[in-house]
Amino acid sequence: MIEQSAYPVEPWVVRETNFNLELLAQSESVFALSNGHIGMRGNLDEGEPHGIPGMYLNSFYENRPLPYAESAYGYPEIGQTVVNVTDGKLIRVLVNDEPLDVRYGELRSHERLLDFRAGTLTRSLDWVSPAGQRVRVRSRRMVSFVQRAVAAIEYIVEPVDAPARFVIQSELVANEELPRMKKDPRVSAILDNPLVGVENFQQDNGGILLHHTRSSGLSMAAGMDHVIDGHGRLEIDVDSREDWLRTTVVAHLRPGERLKIVKLLAYGWSSLRSRQSLRDQVAAALSSARYSGFEGLMQEQRAYLDDFWESADVEVEGDPEIQQAVRFGLFHVLQAGARAERRCIPAKGLTGPGYDGHTFWDTEGFVLPVLTYTQPSAAADVIRWRHSTLDLAKEHATALNLKGAAFPWRTIRGQECSGYWPAGTAAFHINADIADAVERYRLVTGDDSVDKAVGVELLVETARMWMSLGHHDPDGRWHVDGVTGPDEYSAIADDNVFTNLMAARNLISAAEACTRHPAIAQSLHVSLEEAAAWRDAAKDVHIPYDEKLNVHPQSEGYTRHQDFDFEGYQDKYPLLLSAPYFDLYRKQVIKQADLVLAMHWCGDYFSAADKARNVDYYERRTVRDSSLSACTQAVLAAEVGHLELAHDYAYEAALIDLRDLHHNSRDGLHMASLAGAWIALVAGFGGLRDYGGQLRFDPALPAGISRLSFSLRWRGARLRVAFDQHEVTYSLHEGDEGEIELRHDGEDVVVTAAEPVTRKLEQRVPLIKTPPQQPVGREPAQRHAGG
């Protein structure tokens, strides 16, 4: 666990005050910059030392074979892995012929700062070379939210005590040598030299490199330009080869003089456009960046983020760690999706190579709810991306002998990239998760355009898949057999409650969409009989219930399974790396919230008493070997009255990367858990629900948080919710017109800009007084480092 001292607690920044070689890879993930199109790991400017070098373009990948001991029908044969593209971060420095390398000489000070409001990473260092030459370096870097193809770095050097000669080598480098990753199925495969050089161009103070992948058929261009300002005579030289482009600047500086280099970067890629088109696109982006200038780019960045935080910020009083962490999470979730523009949002965003750069169901399940309420245009783009892969999903369904569309468990481009295994291929609930994101976007934003353009078709084709997968029994109950729910330790189960409830919701949403848009339904050949069959299946869906225990089995028969030996595995988590899957599949051990997730997403199905008993039962069996679990457990713990337990889980979700709680942040950040920090606070303590398109709140706070306030977007207006232990106030942001109808703790209220609504809060009393226990060794992370 990373101690708090590594990144001191501050409300709007993450600051690293000392250079720690042992935390280098983790810091590279924490300090990553992105706009959803370009991703830049927080590597040192000079390139070395490094943990994992990384520069990424969203959905730029290479194919790789998926090996099997024995092949079989339906097995995916080709995987996809994100490519470390041409690295434009590198600015190497020689001081009187000695490389600036913080591992040598004396590092008197070193600080880096990620600023959530400015959208920048700044760095300052004071270094003495082995020969005794003292220099100072300051840098600022950013990836532009406004100019999608552009990133920029300002790099300033100056001697301190004596004159010095500086040689600055600013580079573009393709096919960097990457470290070998540990043997863990959660991290990426290594691809050696994935880029093939096509052309290189030199011009003025920079140039452009063009490459293509060997197998996936993608082409990319990377370009750089420089604005150079320094004292005295400057020698500037540009050189290029197939895999690198270098601009060299030589200057002799005296104390008090400095050399400033502004490095402008631009990237583009395509599977269709010519290399001339890519070259011209990058050249144009560089010209636009030069026109704006570094300070102009900074002003654009700040204005963009000011608008975002105005409608997305969460203020936490009483817990400064969670305050910092939830803003850190929101900033990185925004970075992952802001300019993705009809491409996927990977599980690690563009912060590292973990999970091969794939997207999973957690994009729609955890990231999109946050973006829908805070940056809805980004959520709409992801929905459009899913629709762009619909034909591939239909092909996948056909291969599985199903109708409609079966979306892949993990992918970059849209093809299934998970080797055939029950916890992947059988996790059909991803279809319903996508449908849920479609429906939530429409209900939250009031925007019907996405529904018409792509939403109806997504709902229809996912509904068709459910109808071919499920069936009615002789008693008229509708079942979905042989599937894997969110708990990947319980594979190939019958009537998984989460899956069945979400499938029923998917079927109803599809039927209602066809009623709203009859012309679109007709174009998709949806008959009245087909839509009626969807409604009948949803009405008849079977939801198991254990009458003896008075709890819902996670799936049919689950509660009669053998108990798991938690004592024997208490120091062997995560279990996927230490226990046979066969043993996990047949016993009562839960990787991540499943039935509990159903009670969050489909909470209107369950009674308050059911929720309390289910939380008590499943809390004791959930080991949280996935980063997706803590935020959901926080939400339900808060709802059933275990507010202190909810606080612990909110901490775990929020601090997962700042404290490296899962010990794999070096490979990239956990986007779903970072989104989960918002979910834990807003849906957990704020009680946000949107069942049936109605906005609902039921606030309650743990003792450790004295006040909580947050903003969100609802149908064009910006609602602010602020509450302490005693009362809550709902108000619209200044300048917003219209009104918002919402339900507070069962009461319908109307909020306008002129008339905020304030209500008293009652103390929440749990139905089951004693907080539930967790499996031995899996108690939630405490709210204090080392606690």
Side-chain angles (χ1 to χ4, degrees):
M1 179 170 165
I2 296 176
E3 297 298 325
Q4 178 180 308
S5 57
Y7 310 123
V9 177
E10 300 179 59
W12 281 103
V13 301
V14 172
R15 186 189 309 268
E16 179 187 62
T17 57
N18 294 293
F19 180 75
N20 187 339
L21 195 59
E22 297 300 315
L23 296 179
L24 187 57
Q26 291 91 329
S27 290
E28 290 169 352
S29 298
V30 167
F31 292 131
L33 295 175
S34 174
N35 61 7
H37 174 58
I38 302 169
M40 179 186 291
R41 271 178 70 82
N43 305 113
L44 300 181
D45 301 287
E46 300 80 34
E48 296 181 18
H50 60 242
I52 305 172
M55 196 88 188
Y56 310 106
L57 292 175
N58 192 341
S59 298
F60 191 86
Y61 67 92
E62 180 58 303
N63 293 327
R64 61 181 176 86
L66 292 175
Y68 301 95
E70 284 188 45
S71 186
Y73 177 78
Y75 282 22
E77 297 181 354
I78 301 295
Q80 299 165 351
T81 296
V82 65
V83 170
N84 179 35
V85 300
T86 308
D87 192 348
K89 302 186 301 294
L90 297 170
I91 302 178
R92 305 190 191 276
V93 182
L94 278 77
V95 183
N96 292 337
D97 296 329
E98 292 185 289
L100 196 166
D101 188 321
V102 295
R103 294 170 293 188
Y104 302 97
E106 178 189 357
L107 187 60
R108 293 195 171 183
S109 67
H110 189 276
E111 180 174 288
R112 289 188 287 177
L113 185 145
L114 181 67
D115 189 322
F116 312 145
R117 288 179 292 191
T120 57
L121 176 64
T122 62
R123 177 181 178 225
S124 63
L125 64 92
D126 189 332
W127 179 75
V128 181
S129 73
Q133 179 69 53
R134 184 181 176 191
V135 298
R136 291 196 183 101
V137 176
R138 287 172 290 156
S139 71
R140 294 187 290 173
R141 68 170 67 160
M142 55 93 73
V143 176
S144 176
F145 286 116
V146 177
Q147 300 190 38
R148 177 175 180 260
V150 169
I153 302 170
E154 179 188 72
Y155 195 87
I156 301 171
V157 298
E158 59 179 318
V160 178
D161 299 325
R165 173 175 298 210
F166 290 87
V167 180
I168 312 294
Q169 297 172 308
S170 179
E171 299 182 341
L172 285 176
V173 178
N175 292 317
E176 288 179 291
E177 184 177 353
L178 298 174
R180 293 291 171 180
M181 309 292 278
K182 60 187 178 181
K183 293 181 179 180
D184 182 332
R186 296 170 296 179
V187 299
S188 69
I190 293 298
L191 294 177
D192 293 323
N193 299 315
L195 299 175
V196 178
V198 177
E199 289 187 75
N200 57 84
F201 302 91
Q202 297 174 211
Q203 54 188 33
D204 300 327
N205 293 333
I208 299 173
L209 298 180
L210 280 82
H211 288 82
H212 67 78
T213 56
R214 299 177 187 277
S215 175
S216 60
L218 306 181
S219 297
M220 66 157 293
M224 69 177 183
D225 196 2
H226 298 85
V227 179
I228 302 166
D229 180 21
H231 290 81
R233 184 169 67 91
L234 301 177
E235 187 71 28
I236 302 172
D237 180 62
V238 180
D239 193 10
S240 64
R241 298 290 186 274
E242 182 175 86
D243 279 350
W244 61 267
L245 175 69
R246 175 186 296 157
T247 296
T248 302
V249 182
V250 183
H252 188 277
L253 302 177
R254 295 187 294 270
E257 298 177 340
R258 66 178 194 170
L259 172 64
K260 179 172 77 172
I261 297 176
V262 172
K263 183 176 188 177
L264 304 174
L265 298 167
Y267 288 85
W269 76 266
S270 177
S271 60
L272 301 174
R273 289 185 290 125
S274 67
R275 62 174 182 262
Q276 291 87 356
S277 173
L278 285 172
R279 179 198 62 202
D280 291 348
Q281 175 197 351
V282 166
L286 288 173
S287 296
S288 177
R290 187 163 188 140
Y291 178 82
S292 297
F294 190 81
E295 293 304 326
L297 291 170
M298 293 283 287
Q299 290 169 9
E300 293 174 353
Q301 191 86 332
R302 182 62 183 244
Y304 183 98
L305 285 165
D306 283 347
D307 181 68
F308 171 73
W309 289 115
E310 181 69 18
S311 57
D313 190 25
V314 177
E315 296 180 81
V316 184
E317 296 182 18
D319 192 328
E321 281 190 271
I322 288 185
Q323 174 66 91
Q324 178 189 43
V326 69
R327 285 175 175 153
F328 172 79
L330 281 167
F331 178 69
H332 272 293
V333 167
L334 176 68
Q335 287 199 130
R339 302 301 302 273
E341 295 178 3
R342 306 194 187 193
R343 294 186 179 128
C344 66
I345 296 180
K348 296 283 190 178
L350 299 178
T351 66
Y355 299 116
D356 284 327
H358 293 163
T359 189
F360 298 77
W361 70 286
D362 41 294
T363 292
E364 281 81 10
F366 296 85
V367 175
L368 287 204
V370 178
L371 289 176
T372 300
Y373 277 108
T374 61
Q375 193 76 357
S377 61
D381 280 337
V382 175
I383 293 169
R384 293 187 181 100
W385 167 74
R386 280 292 189 188
H387 182 267
S388 75
T389 69
L390 184 59
D391 287 344
L392 294 170
K394 289 181 179 180
E395 291 176 13
H396 187 45
T398 299
L400 297 174
N401 199 28
L402 296 170
K403 296 179 181 178
F407 283 92
W409 180 239
R410 58 189 298 167
T411 189
I412 295 177
R413 171 62 184 88
Q415 297 88 347
E416 177 62 79
C417 293
S418 177
Y420 185 91
W421 65 307
T425 301
F428 290 103
H429 68 83
I430 188 170
N431 265 31
D433 306 331
I434 292 168
D436 202 48
V438 170
E439 190 70 351
R440 176 182 292 107
Y441 176 82
R442 181 184 68 85
L443 293 172
V444 171
T445 65
D447 174 14
D448 204 35
S449 63
V450 173
D451 199 39
K452 292 177 180 177
V454 301
V456 176
E457 188 174 13
L458 284 169
L459 292 170
V460 165
E461 297 301 342
T462 50
R464 285 170 168 163
M465 191 282 297
W466 289 118
M467 291 302 292
S468 63
L469 187 65
H471 68 97
H472 275 93
D473 69 14
D475 295 326
R477 295 175 301 183
W478 190 72
H479 302 271
V480 181
D481 296 334
V483 300
T484 301
D487 171 27
E488 296 155 15
Y489 289 171
S490 303
I492 313 301
D494 294 343
D495 289 325
N496 172 260
V497 170
F498 175 88
T499 301
N500 282 16
L501 287 173
M502 292 294 290
R505 180 186 288 182
N506 190 164
L507 292 166
I508 291 295
S509 295
E512 291 178 348
C514 290
T515 300
R516 287 194 306 274
H517 304 293
I520 298 176
Q522 185 177 11
S523 71
L524 297 172
H525 308 293
V526 179
S527 66
L528 292 176
E529 292 77 13
E530 184 178 21
W534 296 342
R535 293 182 186 274
D536 287 342
K539 174 175 60 70
D540 299 334
V541 66
H542 176 57
I543 305 301
Y545 190 78
D546 189 321
E547 299 288 352
K548 292 182 179 179
L549 295 175
N550 284 325
V551 298
H552 288 84
Q554 183 171 280
S555 54
E556 189 66 64
Y558 183 84
T559 50
R560 65 170 176 77
H561 288 179
Q562 184 180 353
D563 289 335
F564 185 76
D565 179 17
F566 294 110
E567 292 281 350
Y569 280 91
Q570 61 181 293
D571 57 352
K572 297 179 181 179
Y573 297 104
L575 295 178
L576 76 162
L577 300 181
S578 61
Y581 263 103
F582 166 74
D583 208 30
L584 301 175
Y585 286 167
R586 64 193 182 93
K587 294 181 180 177
Q588 291 192 56
V589 54
I590 299 168
K591 179 181 181 182
Q592 61 200 36
D594 189 314
L595 191 283
V596 173
L597 185 64
M599 293 192 296
H600 177 199
W601 292 13
C602 305
D604 48 349
Y605 176 83
F606 301 87
S607 70
D610 282 338
K611 291 177 182 177
R613 289 191 296 266
N614 287 337
V615 165
D616 188 70
Y617 187 86
Y618 287 99
E619 184 75 11
R620 303 170 191 276
R621 293 160 173 80
T622 304
V623 295
R624 299 191 322 287
D625 281 350
S626 164
S627 61
L628 304 183
S629 198
C631 69
T632 300
Q633 289 175 263
V635 171
L636 265 295
E639 182 170 351
V640 302
H642 299 308
L643 292 167
E644 305 311 314
L645 179 61
H647 196 174
D648 284 341
Y649 280 135
Y651 173 93
E652 186 172 307
L655 275 295
I656 186 169
D657 291 311
L658 286 177
R659 301 290 176 263
D660 196 12
L661 298 179
H662 281 222
H663 312 294
N664 59 359
S665 295
R666 70 188 312 272
D667 309 315
L669 304 180
H670 300 76
M671 288 301 136
S673 189
L674 295 180
W678 184 93
I679 293 170
L681 295 174
V682 174
F685 300 131
L688 167 68
R689 301 291 187 274
D690 52 20
Y691 306 140
Q694 183 181 50
L695 191 60
R696 308 180 188 185
F697 297 95
D698 187 9
L701 286 175
I705 297 178
S706 58
R707 184 176 175 81
L708 180 66
S709 63
F710 54 85
S711 297
L712 52 80
R713 295 179 183 268
W714 181 261
R715 299 177 185 173
R718 293 168 298 171
L719 177 69
R720 179 177 175 82
V721 182
F723 59 102
D724 56 20
Q725 301 283 352
H726 307 292
E727 67 177 23
V728 59
T729 297
Y730 304 99
S731 59
L732 295 191
H733 280 244
E734 184 178 350
D736 284 1
E737 298 180 356
E739 61 184 33
I740 291 180
E741 298 179 5
L742 59 87
R743 175 167 288 191
H744 163 78
D745 191 19
E747 175 194 359
D748 292 328
V749 300
V750 177
V751 184
T752 67
E755 295 187 35
V757 173
T758 298
R759 291 291 185 270
K760 298 293 183 183
L761 299 179
E762 300 295 330
Q763 183 179 6
R764 183 164 299 172
V765 178
L767 292 178
I768 299 177
K769 304 296 184 184
T770 305
Q773 299 301 303
Q774 295 74 42
V776 61
R778 297 307 288 162
E779 298 80 7
Q782 298 302 301
R783 297 190 297 277
H784 304 286

